[in-house]
Amino acid sequence: MGPDPLERSLFLQVEADLREAIGPPETQEALAPIDRLERLRETLAVLAVSLARTHGHLAWFLSGALTVLEPVLRWRALPAENRHSFGTTIPSPKQYTEAEDAVRRLQDAVTGITNVAPPQ
């Protein structure tokens, strides 16, 4: 059974917003680290707002995606003194790439969910 029309509409918006935030690998890798981090944090905002608008299985799915991407919240793009870093770390280029790849897999999963035929 696929999503109902309201859920499908929400997921179409999620898909569009995620694709706007995280583009193809060559586009993302050309960005400065601070811009890459900004876009990854935008994906968290998209997921959080969407989670607030749904319930049930779709809410469970979105909360799982948020949990997986949560480490992004502890990243920073600029150097800081230890006492002013609030426990944040500067991620490696590989960590950026892995997080962006996770968002792309999420985009594909959302596409699959929205392409399931709605209930009759």
Side-chain angles (χ1 to χ4, degrees), residues 3-20 46 50 53 58 62 107 109-116:
D4 66 37
L6 187 59
E7 292 170 330
R8 188 172 191 286
S9 173
L10 173 67
F11 264 61
L12 287 170
Q13 186 62 53
V14 168
E15 178 186 16
D17 291 346
L18 290 176
R19 290 198 190 280
E20 184 177 329
V46 165
S50 300
R53 294 180 176 163
L58 293 178
L62 291 173
Q107 292 166 351
V110 171
T111 297
I113 291 169
T114 57
N115 287 333
V116 173

Side-chain angles (χ1 to χ4, degrees), residues 21-36:
I22 303 294
E26 55 279 352
T27 301
Q28 291 301 121
E29 290 170 9
L31 296 172
I34 196 164
D35 295 323
R36 290 178 84 175

